[in-house]
mmCIF file of all heavy atoms in Angstrom:
data_model
loop_
_atom_site.group_PDB
_atom_site.id
_atom_site.type_symbol
_atom_site.label_atom_id
_atom_site.label_comp_id
_atom_site.label_asym_id
_atom_site.label_seq_id
_atom_site.Cartn_x
_atom_site.Cartn_y
_atom_site.Cartn_z
ATOM 1 N N PRO V 1 0.835 -1.225 0.004
ATOM 2 C CA PRO V 1 -0.057 -0.004 -0.038
ATOM 3 C C PRO V 1 0.805 1.262 -0.008
ATOM 4 O O PRO V 1 0.273 2.402 0.014
ATOM 5 C CB PRO V 1 -0.816 -0.069 1.297
ATOM 6 C CG PRO V 1 0.055 -1.111 2.215
ATOM 7 C CD PRO V 1 0.667 -1.989 1.267
ATOM 8 N N THR V 2 2.164 1.215 -0.104
ATOM 9 C CA THR V 2 2.943 2.394 -0.132
ATOM 10 C C THR V 2 4.029 2.346 -1.304
ATOM 11 O O THR V 2 5.178 2.459 -1.067
ATOM 12 C CB THR V 2 3.750 2.669 1.207
ATOM 13 O OG1 THR V 2 4.415 1.524 1.533
ATOM 14 C CG2 THR V 2 2.779 2.874 2.268
ATOM 15 N N LEU V 3 3.485 2.058 -2.470
ATOM 16 C CA LEU V 3 4.307 2.063 -3.669
ATOM 17 C C LEU V 3 4.792 3.468 -3.874
ATOM 18 O O LEU V 3 4.085 4.418 -3.949
ATOM 19 C CB LEU V 3 3.501 1.449 -4.867
ATOM 20 C CG LEU V 3 3.179 0.086 -4.879
ATOM 21 C CD1 LEU V 3 2.251 -0.250 -6.042
ATOM 22 C CD2 LEU V 3 4.529 -0.860 -5.054
ATOM 23 N N GLU V 4 6.071 3.641 -4.121
ATOM 24 C CA GLU V 4 6.747 4.909 -4.184
ATOM 25 C C GLU V 4 7.690 4.934 -5.317
ATOM 26 O O GLU V 4 8.471 4.003 -5.628
ATOM 27 C CB GLU V 4 7.435 5.261 -2.945
ATOM 28 C CG GLU V 4 6.656 5.284 -1.693
ATOM 29 C CD GLU V 4 7.406 5.496 -0.449
ATOM 30 O OE1 GLU V 4 8.664 5.615 -0.526
ATOM 31 O OE2 GLU V 4 6.848 5.687 0.609
ATOM 32 N N ASN V 5 7.630 6.050 -6.080
ATOM 33 C CA ASN V 5 8.543 6.434 -7.128
ATOM 34 C C ASN V 5 8.698 5.344 -8.222
ATOM 35 O O ASN V 5 9.794 5.098 -8.609
ATOM 36 C CB ASN V 5 9.865 6.791 -6.553
ATOM 37 C CG ASN V 5 9.868 7.946 -5.522
ATOM 38 O OD1 ASN V 5 9.083 8.936 -5.696
ATOM 39 N ND2 ASN V 5 10.578 7.895 -4.445
ATOM 40 N N TYR V 6 7.674 4.911 -8.620
ATOM 41 C CA TYR V 6 7.613 3.967 -9.779
ATOM 42 C C TYR V 6 7.504 4.798 -11.046
ATOM 43 O O TYR V 6 6.546 5.532 -11.290
ATOM 44 C CB TYR V 6 6.469 2.937 -9.719
ATOM 45 C CG TYR V 6 6.865 1.806 -8.877
ATOM 46 C CD1 TYR V 6 6.924 1.782 -7.466
ATOM 47 C CD2 TYR V 6 7.146 0.534 -9.556
ATOM 48 C CE1 TYR V 6 7.197 0.604 -6.760
ATOM 49 C CE2 TYR V 6 7.495 -0.588 -8.720
ATOM 50 C CZ TYR V 6 7.520 -0.547 -7.408
ATOM 51 O OH TYR V 6 7.822 -1.625 -6.685
ATOM 52 N N GLU V 7 8.528 4.585 -11.993
ATOM 53 C CA GLU V 7 8.707 5.321 -13.151
ATOM 54 C C GLU V 7 7.848 4.494 -14.237
ATOM 55 O O GLU V 7 8.269 3.401 -14.513
ATOM 56 C CB GLU V 7 10.086 5.623 -13.564
ATOM 57 C CG GLU V 7 10.799 6.444 -12.496
ATOM 58 C CD GLU V 7 12.316 6.664 -12.876
ATOM 59 O OE1 GLU V 7 12.740 6.199 -13.978
ATOM 60 O OE2 GLU V 7 12.968 7.263 -12.023
ATOM 61 N N VAL V 8 6.951 5.245 -14.870
ATOM 62 C CA VAL V 8 6.034 4.565 -15.832
ATOM 63 C C VAL V 8 5.934 5.457 -16.975
ATOM 64 O O VAL V 8 5.801 6.649 -16.855
ATOM 65 C CB VAL V 8 4.683 4.267 -15.174
ATOM 66 C CG1 VAL V 8 3.770 3.545 -16.222
ATOM 67 C CG2 VAL V 8 4.764 3.379 -13.982
ATOM 68 N N THR V 9 5.946 4.855 -18.282
ATOM 69 C CA THR V 9 5.617 5.498 -19.555
ATOM 70 C C THR V 9 4.150 5.663 -19.687
ATOM 71 O O THR V 9 3.393 4.622 -19.712
ATOM 72 C CB THR V 9 6.258 4.901 -20.532
ATOM 73 O OG1 THR V 9 7.711 4.780 -20.376
ATOM 74 C CG2 THR V 9 6.064 5.684 -21.962
ATOM 75 N N CYS V 10 3.695 6.935 -19.792
ATOM 76 C CA CYS V 10 2.202 7.127 -20.084
ATOM 77 C C CYS V 10 2.085 7.801 -21.387
ATOM 78 O O CYS V 10 3.055 8.182 -22.094
ATOM 79 C CB CYS V 10 1.641 8.066 -18.990
ATOM 80 S SG CYS V 10 1.885 7.346 -17.284
ATOM 81 N N HIS V 11 0.838 7.965 -21.748
ATOM 82 C CA HIS V 11 0.532 8.609 -23.121
ATOM 83 C C HIS V 11 -0.501 9.656 -22.964
ATOM 84 O O HIS V 11 -1.487 9.324 -22.363
ATOM 85 C CB HIS V 11 0.137 7.542 -24.214
ATOM 86 C CG HIS V 11 1.266 6.545 -24.491
ATOM 87 N ND1 HIS V 11 1.493 5.462 -23.756
ATOM 88 C CD2 HIS V 11 2.173 6.495 -25.533
ATOM 89 C CE1 HIS V 11 2.523 4.777 -24.213
ATOM 90 N NE2 HIS V 11 2.881 5.370 -25.318
ATOM 91 N N THR V 12 -0.234 10.814 -23.510
ATOM 92 C CA THR V 12 -1.195 11.846 -23.430
ATOM 93 C C THR V 12 -2.332 11.755 -24.525
ATOM 94 O O THR V 12 -2.169 10.801 -25.439
ATOM 95 C CB THR V 12 -0.512 13.170 -23.660
ATOM 96 O OG1 THR V 12 0.014 13.309 -25.014
ATOM 97 C CG2 THR V 12 0.645 13.401 -22.661
ATOM 98 N N LYS V 13 -3.246 12.504 -24.438
ATOM 99 C CA LYS V 13 -4.340 12.455 -25.512
ATOM 100 C C LYS V 13 -3.770 12.669 -26.876
ATOM 101 O O LYS V 13 -4.246 12.213 -27.848
ATOM 102 C CB LYS V 13 -5.400 13.517 -25.168
ATOM 103 C CG LYS V 13 -6.606 13.620 -26.120
ATOM 104 C CD LYS V 13 -7.509 14.636 -25.751
ATOM 105 C CE LYS V 13 -8.673 14.682 -26.787
ATOM 106 N NZ LYS V 13 -9.677 15.796 -26.404
ATOM 107 N N GLN V 14 -2.675 13.527 -26.961
ATOM 108 C CA GLN V 14 -2.052 13.804 -28.230
ATOM 109 C C GLN V 14 -1.089 12.639 -28.607
ATOM 110 O O GLN V 14 -0.275 12.828 -29.568
ATOM 111 C CB GLN V 14 -1.279 15.067 -28.194
ATOM 112 C CG GLN V 14 -2.203 16.316 -28.011
ATOM 113 C CD GLN V 14 -2.812 16.391 -26.635
ATOM 114 O OE1 GLN V 14 -2.174 15.999 -25.622
ATOM 115 N NE2 GLN V 14 -3.919 17.003 -26.379
ATOM 116 N N GLU V 15 -1.083 11.563 -27.934
ATOM 117 C CA GLU V 15 -0.169 10.295 -28.232
ATOM 118 C C GLU V 15 1.252 10.607 -28.060
ATOM 119 O O GLU V 15 2.134 9.981 -28.570
ATOM 120 C CB GLU V 15 -0.379 9.926 -29.728
ATOM 121 C CG GLU V 15 -1.834 9.405 -30.076
ATOM 122 C CD GLU V 15 -2.216 8.153 -29.308
ATOM 123 O OE1 GLU V 15 -1.313 7.392 -28.983
ATOM 124 O OE2 GLU V 15 -3.339 8.072 -28.929
ATOM 125 N N ASN V 16 1.568 11.585 -27.122
ATOM 126 C CA ASN V 16 2.930 11.876 -26.731
ATOM 127 C C ASN V 16 3.272 10.954 -25.615
ATOM 128 O O ASN V 16 2.532 10.788 -24.652
ATOM 129 C CB ASN V 16 3.123 13.312 -26.369
ATOM 130 C CG ASN V 16 2.877 14.285 -27.527
ATOM 131 O OD1 ASN V 16 3.289 13.901 -28.730
ATOM 132 N ND2 ASN V 16 2.235 15.397 -27.297
ATOM 133 N N SER V 17 4.567 10.379 -25.561
ATOM 134 C CA SER V 17 4.922 9.548 -24.476
ATOM 135 C C SER V 17 5.545 10.504 -23.378
ATOM 136 O O SER V 17 6.336 11.308 -23.758
ATOM 137 C CB SER V 17 5.963 8.569 -24.975
ATOM 138 O OG SER V 17 5.333 7.688 -25.835
ATOM 139 N N ILE V 18 5.145 10.319 -22.103
ATOM 140 C CA ILE V 18 5.781 10.978 -21.014
ATOM 141 C C ILE V 18 6.126 9.963 -19.934
ATOM 142 O O ILE V 18 5.645 8.848 -19.914
ATOM 143 C CB ILE V 18 4.802 12.040 -20.451
ATOM 144 C CG1 ILE V 18 3.479 11.392 -20.064
ATOM 145 C CG2 ILE V 18 4.471 13.211 -21.380
ATOM 146 C CD1 ILE V 18 2.509 12.286 -19.317
ATOM 147 N N ILE V 19 7.129 10.308 -19.166
ATOM 148 C CA ILE V 19 7.550 9.468 -18.126
ATOM 149 C C ILE V 19 7.063 10.147 -16.763
ATOM 150 O O ILE V 19 7.355 11.239 -16.386
ATOM 151 C CB ILE V 19 8.996 9.305 -18.006
ATOM 152 C CG1 ILE V 19 9.534 8.696 -19.378
ATOM 153 C CG2 ILE V 19 9.549 8.269 -16.924
ATOM 154 C CD1 ILE V 19 11.053 8.647 -19.460
ATOM 155 N N VAL V 20 6.299 9.305 -16.000
ATOM 156 C CA VAL V 20 5.716 9.854 -14.759
ATOM 157 C C VAL V 20 6.153 8.915 -13.608
ATOM 158 O O VAL V 20 6.208 7.666 -13.672
ATOM 159 C CB VAL V 20 4.209 9.791 -14.861
ATOM 160 C CG1 VAL V 20 3.519 10.334 -13.472
ATOM 161 C CG2 VAL V 20 3.698 10.718 -16.009
ATOM 162 N N SER V 21 6.619 9.642 -12.523
ATOM 163 C CA SER V 21 6.984 8.872 -11.139
ATOM 164 C C SER V 21 5.761 8.838 -10.394
ATOM 165 O O SER V 21 5.217 9.936 -9.892
ATOM 166 C CB SER V 21 8.139 9.498 -10.611
ATOM 167 O OG SER V 21 8.461 8.987 -9.389
ATOM 168 N N PHE V 22 5.214 7.661 -10.090
ATOM 169 C CA PHE V 22 4.000 7.444 -9.327
ATOM 170 C C PHE V 22 4.342 7.078 -7.818
ATOM 171 O O PHE V 22 5.202 6.243 -7.707
ATOM 172 C CB PHE V 22 3.085 6.351 -9.959
ATOM 173 C CG PHE V 22 2.250 7.027 -11.156
ATOM 174 C CD1 PHE V 22 2.645 6.697 -12.410
ATOM 175 C CD2 PHE V 22 1.223 7.850 -10.871
ATOM 176 C CE1 PHE V 22 1.841 7.130 -13.537
ATOM 177 C CE2 PHE V 22 0.515 8.354 -11.969
ATOM 178 C CZ PHE V 22 0.754 8.005 -13.275
ATOM 179 N N SER V 23 3.508 7.623 -6.982
ATOM 180 C CA SER V 23 3.494 7.066 -5.579
ATOM 181 C C SER V 23 2.010 6.673 -5.372
ATOM 182 O O SER V 23 1.146 7.459 -5.760
ATOM 183 C CB SER V 23 3.979 8.103 -4.558
ATOM 184 O OG SER V 23 5.331 8.315 -4.721
ATOM 185 N N CYS V 24 1.785 5.419 -4.913
ATOM 186 C CA CYS V 24 0.389 5.003 -4.921
ATOM 187 C C CYS V 24 0.041 4.425 -3.525
ATOM 188 O O CYS V 24 0.885 3.913 -2.772
ATOM 189 C CB CYS V 24 0.150 3.866 -5.965
ATOM 190 S SG CYS V 24 0.821 4.315 -7.580
#
């Protein structure tokens, strides 16, 4: 329950790839 700083590739509506660091 404390996932931290996981780097994940996401995609915007414009189909651009971005790298987001998630804490969950």
Side-chain angles (χ1 to χ4, degrees):
T2 56
L3 286 172
E4 299 172 357
N5 300 324
Y6 272 75
E7 298 178 4
V8 178
T9 299
C10 305
H11 294 83
T12 67
K13 181 181 178 181
Q14 295 74 27
E15 297 298 324
N16 296 323
S17 294
I18 56 174
I19 302 175
V20 180
S21 177
F22 280 106
S23 295
C24 312

